[in-house]
């Protein structure tokens, strides 16, 4: 999870929501990614999807059935779908997502019995550290927007 946190920190440095993901296969890191949605202006540029894509390229297969995904925030519906479709064996996440979490909070797509694949889910790993990344980021973002608004008002 510490490597996923390092990826999240990379995202924060470029003003992306600080979420990082790491895929491990046979004890080796096969992919690492962080959010790039704002940078690339692509709705699908979530850390999990980018890591899954990189892992598939590195392993030359779409089946990641012996892999573990470490991610700093509970996966959303889109990412949970990609995890199921790529057959990731295990998902370990840090902070729970009360607004979009689909690994147990709002619903659990990763263990939905009607799908042809379910992933083992472990949540709350380094939860406080992962949650603080997001809390600090959004606090700073709100402060920047407030300052910009004040600056704009001064210029008028």
């Amino acid at each position: 999870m510490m490597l996923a946190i390092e990826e999240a920190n990379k995202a924060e440095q470029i003003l992306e929501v600080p979420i990082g993901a790491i895929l491990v296969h046979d004890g080796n890191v096969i992919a690492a990614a962080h959010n790039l949605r704002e940078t690339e202006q692509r709705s699908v540029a979530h850390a999990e999807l980018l890591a899954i894509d990189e892992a598939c390229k590195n392993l030359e297969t779409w089946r990641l059935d012996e892999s573990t995904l470490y991610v700093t925030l509970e996966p959303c519906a889109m990412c949970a779908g990609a995890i199921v479709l790529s057959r990731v064996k295990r998902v370990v996440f840090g902070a729970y997502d009360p607004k979009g979490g689909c690994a147990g909070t709002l619903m659990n797509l990763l263990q939905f019995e009607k799908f042809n694949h379910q992933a083992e889910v472990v949540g709350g790993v380094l939860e406080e550290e992962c949650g603080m990344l997001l809390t600090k980021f959004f606090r700073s973002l709100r402060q920047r927007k407030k300052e910009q608004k004040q600056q704009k008002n001064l210029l008028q």
Side-chain angles (χ1 to χ4, degrees):
M1 186 60 77
M2 293 305 295
L3 292 175
I5 289 172
E6 286 178 25
E7 285 296 317
N9 286 328
K10 291 177 187 177
E12 182 180 28
Q13 291 170 6
I14 58 172
L15 301 179
E16 289 280 353
V17 176
I19 300 171
I22 301 292
L23 256 156
V24 175
H25 182 81
D26 290 336
N28 298 309
V29 174
I30 56 170
H34 53 273
N35 269 7
L36 291 174
R37 193 165 59 166
E38 294 298 328
T39 302
E40 296 183 0
Q41 289 298 298
R42 293 186 317 121
S43 59
V44 297
H46 286 205
E48 299 96 319
L49 293 180
L50 297 172
I52 287 169
D53 191 46
E54 180 182 338
C56 290
K57 289 175 186 171
N58 289 340
L59 293 179
E60 297 180 340
T61 182
W62 61 268
R63 291 177 183 91
L64 303 176
D65 48 8
E66 292 303 316
S67 300
T68 298
L69 174 70
Y70 294 87
V71 61
T72 56
L73 182 66
E74 180 180 4
C76 68
M78 176 177 63
C79 293
I83 290 164
V84 169
L85 291 172
S86 61
R87 298 192 174 132
V88 170
K89 181 177 184 174
R90 184 169 178 247
V91 176
V92 179
F93 69 86
Y96 288 86
D97 185 356
K99 294 181 180 179
C102 290
T105 298
L106 297 179
M107 63 185 72
N108 191 342
L109 294 175
L110 297 178
Q111 296 180 321
F112 187 63
E113 65 280 347
K114 291 188 178 184
F115 289 147
N116 67 340
H117 175 78
Q118 293 82 39
E120 177 187 341
V121 177
V122 179
V125 175
L126 296 180
E127 180 178 6
E128 189 172 325
E129 291 89 334
C130 293
M132 282 307 298
L133 288 169
L134 294 160
T135 299
K136 285 178 8 189
F137 175 80
F138 286 112
R139 186 179 296 138
S140 175
L141 182 64
R142 285 190 299 273
Q143 183 62 36
R144 275 194 309 274
K145 286 184 177 184
K146 182 179 176 182
E147 290 169 2
Q148 288 172 349
K149 185 177 180 182
Q150 289 171 342
Q151 186 78 355
K152 184 179 176 184
N153 288 340
L154 287 173
L155 296 174
Q156 292 178 343

